[in-house]
Amino acid sequence: MQKLPFVSHEKLVEITEKYPTPFHLYDEAGIRRTARDLKEAFAWNHGFREYFAVKACPNPFILKILKEEGCGLDCASMAELRLAEALGFSGDEIMFSSNETPGEEFEYARKLNAIINLDDITHIDFLKKHGGIPERICLRYNPGGELLVGSVYMGQPSGSKFGMTKQQIFHAVQHLQNLGVKEFGLHALLASNAADNNYYPANAMILFELAIELNQKLGAKIFMINLSGGVGIAYQPEQQMPDIRKIGRAIEESFDVMTSARLGNVALSTELGRFMTGPHGCLVATAIHKKHIYKEYIGLDACAVNLMRPAIYDAYHHITVSGKEDALCDHVYDVVGSLCENNDKFAVDRALPEIHDGDLIVIHDTGAHGYSMGYNYNGKLKSAEILLHPDGSFDMIRRAETIRDYFATFDFCDILKDANMD
Ligand SMILES: *Cc1c(COP(=O)(O)O)cnc(C)c1O
């Protein structure tokens, strides 16, 4: 099955004439389309809001687009909170779904009036000391065991560090009620990259049942069910994207249990990251070397610093040789980066058209957990980010790192005062 980039070869050539590779390219039209599809799929729920998981794509220009589409932000660190603040998000527009949280981050989140999502029962007293207990708070649930939907295995919550046990949730609610909390949200993230349409409805049902039980047994007033992230995308050409309309309808049907329990006015929220921007970004690189030893290698000017997922998860990212979309895939290559690290392979034994030095290589689906996961191993610098607008124009939305940036943390002393930074 063919999987094509969102950008044509002609456009890519035009962009690379202005901005050298490697860079991440984002498709504004695609991001807006997905944000609208999601909103529509949950339009039946009063108060629905997507809190985009900032860690997936922490670029202020992208976050601004999502703000225009009505999204809030899901933050988990000081820098993410500052980013949200700088872009004018505040109060209910920010979820703070952190874990192992430093005191000053809780304090800052409280200052912004963000919705605090507590990962653990011990964080109640910690939050009391750092920022104080708000009147509305969200609690993160971990049901333990395995998540089986029908006969499909979707994850192992019992092995996940996140959230509280059911018993702890009950104790936490009672403790927080005593501390003056008036309304509760419930949150769970039980799978990652779940492309199966049944994951989200299963997660929703688990939270609905918990909400009803808390409401009936403890009189807890529930204001939000947060389905969090975890909805997958079609990385492989033979995979299908999850159908968000279908998912929305399935959750609408099971929401009947909430309505019957007189919890029909509870707002749903999501913290999708990958689903929102993943397919709408790609890493554009140039083939700069060709090596033949026991295998055929294509060396790129990008490396795992720009996209870690293949190296750390053995993740599949589809590759298109730009301009050779219709050519026969009659060569088998390992497509690799320049790190002194043998995991630095974007693809292993991949059937591709014949590649020549100078060919533009498009690595698909890097719009989430792509640039943001990058690091600086081997002193390799992080790339620029470019935004392709719906009308075909494009802008740089983050410049590439420079040597000066790389050495900036030595600016407290003069040990590198003689270094050439240009
Ligand atoms: C990472 C994360 C998300 C987003 O996950 P995706 O897989 O990108 O949808 C949402 N919420 C929390 C708390 C997360 O840690």
Side-chain angles (χ1 to χ4, degrees):
M1 209 181 299
Q2 219 185 9
K3 184 174 160 82
L4 292 171
F6 58 78
V7 60
S8 70
H9 178 63
E10 292 68 32
K11 182 56 70 178
L12 210 49
V13 168
E14 190 188 334
I15 296 172
T16 53
E17 276 163 6
K18 185 148 185 213
Y19 301 110
T21 61
F23 54 77
H24 284 269
L25 180 69
Y26 302 97
D27 173 25
E28 178 179 348
I31 293 171
R32 289 191 189 274
R33 196 168 61 239
T34 297
R36 286 171 198 180
D37 287 348
L38 174 70
K39 210 169 155 184
E40 223 174 280
F42 286 92
W44 55 269
N45 175 257
H46 186 69
F48 171 80
R49 182 182 268 146
E50 151 73 357
Y51 292 92
F52 177 68
V54 174
K55 73 168 190 263
C57 192
N59 185 299
F61 292 89
I62 304 286
L63 300 180
K64 190 167 157 282
I65 291 171
L66 290 165
K67 187 170 200 276
E68 287 165 10
E69 296 298 334
C71 299
L73 296 184
D74 163 33
C75 302
S77 69
M78 184 60 90
E80 291 178 0
L81 286 171
R82 298 286 172 104
L83 202 47
E85 181 185 30
L87 292 168
F89 291 87
S90 69
D92 281 3
E93 296 163 344
I94 307 174
M95 278 297 304
F96 190 54
S97 290
S98 61
N99 68 100
E100 311 312 334
T101 313
E104 67 267 23
E105 294 187 8
F106 272 139
E107 283 159 21
Y108 211 84
R110 290 286 291 120
K111 198 184 95 177
L112 297 179
N113 227 349
I115 301 174
I116 306 286
N117 186 16
L118 281 190
D119 182 64
D120 191 52
I121 191 160
T122 60
H123 296 180
I124 296 173
D125 290 329
F126 190 78
L127 178 64
K128 207 169 124 193
K129 283 197 216 100
H130 297 279
I133 304 290
E135 289 198 343
R136 296 199 312 179
I137 201 159
C138 190
L139 302 175
R140 186 164 182 169
Y141 179 42
N142 182 334
E146 285 188 340
L147 181 67
L148 283 173
V149 181
S151 58
V152 183
Y153 172 85
M154 292 202 183
Q156 180 136 25
S158 64
S160 147
K161 71 169 179 167
F162 302 111
M164 298 177 229
T165 67
K166 188 163 175 187
Q167 199 184 26
Q168 288 173 335
I169 291 269
F170 274 75
H171 287 154
V173 166
Q174 285 175 306
H175 188 181
L176 287 162
Q177 282 174 326
N178 291 333
L179 292 173
V181 172
K182 299 206 164 64
E183 296 182 69
F184 295 88
L186 296 172
H187 168 284
L189 174 49
L190 306 180
S192 178
N193 191 23
D196 190 316
N197 284 334
N198 296 318
Y199 163 65
Y200 233 28
N203 193 30
M205 201 52 174
I206 288 169
L207 289 170
F208 293 165
E209 284 170 355
L210 181 65
I212 293 167
E213 208 177 324
L214 286 167
N215 179 256
Q216 290 175 347
K217 294 196 174 145
L218 301 178
K221 184 155 189 265
I222 309 293
F223 76 100
M224 165 193 278
I225 298 281
N226 186 338
L227 304 176
S228 191
V231 174
I233 60 171
Y235 285 105
Q236 312 250 2
E238 61 276 7
Q239 264 183 309
Q240 273 197 336
M241 271 295 280
D243 183 339
I244 201 66
R245 274 160 202 266
K246 230 185 213 168
I247 291 171
R249 271 200 300 275
I251 295 174
E252 181 178 13
E253 276 169 34
S254 51
F255 197 71
D256 284 350
V257 299
M258 294 283 281
T259 313
S260 308
R262 289 197 298 273
L263 291 173
N265 56 353
V266 170
L268 294 187
S269 53
T270 55
E271 296 174 340
L272 295 167
R274 191 186 315 271
F275 179 79
M276 300 300 287
T277 55
H280 309 307
C282 60
L283 173 59
V284 181
T286 303
I288 58 170
H289 291 289
K290 207 167 180 172
K291 169 169 180 171
H292 175 71
I293 43 172
Y294 308 101
K295 300 180 81 176
E296 294 286 340
Y297 294 93
I298 297 294
L300 303 186
D301 59 357
C303 63
V305 160
N306 309 110
L307 177 69
M308 278 183 97
R309 297 188 72 260
I312 64 170
Y313 305 130
D314 204 17
Y316 181 94
H317 278 264
H318 197 64
I319 289 178
T320 297
V321 184
S322 190
K324 299 185 181 174
E325 284 81 356
D326 297 317
L328 214 56
C329 292
D330 54 358
H331 285 65
V332 174
Y333 295 115
D334 282 13
V335 180
V336 304
S338 54
L339 296 187
C340 303
E341 154 66 81
N342 199 37
N343 281 351
D344 187 12
K345 294 173 180 165
F346 292 111
V348 174
D349 296 332
R350 186 74 58 88
L352 289 165
E354 183 171 22
I355 296 174
H356 298 295
D357 285 359
D359 278 351
L360 289 173
I361 307 295
V362 178
I363 303 174
H364 293 236
D365 300 313
T366 69
H369 314 297
Y371 178 95
S372 60
M373 235 185 218
Y375 58 141
N376 279 122
Y377 201 43
N378 264 166
K380 292 284 174 175
L381 304 176
K382 298 184 81 182
S383 77
E385 296 181 292
I386 313 289
L387 180 63
L388 179 61
H389 300 295
D391 66 359
S393 63
F394 51 89
D395 286 305
M396 183 168 74
I397 56 171
R398 187 194 305 257
R399 67 162 171 81
E401 254 179 356
T402 63
I403 292 283
R404 192 176 295 277
D405 296 325
Y406 183 76
F407 290 130
T409 43
F410 296 102
D411 62 359
F412 68 96
C413 62
D414 59 11
I415 187 148
L416 289 182
K417 69 176 184 333
D418 297 326
N420 181 356
M421 300 279 189
D422 300 318

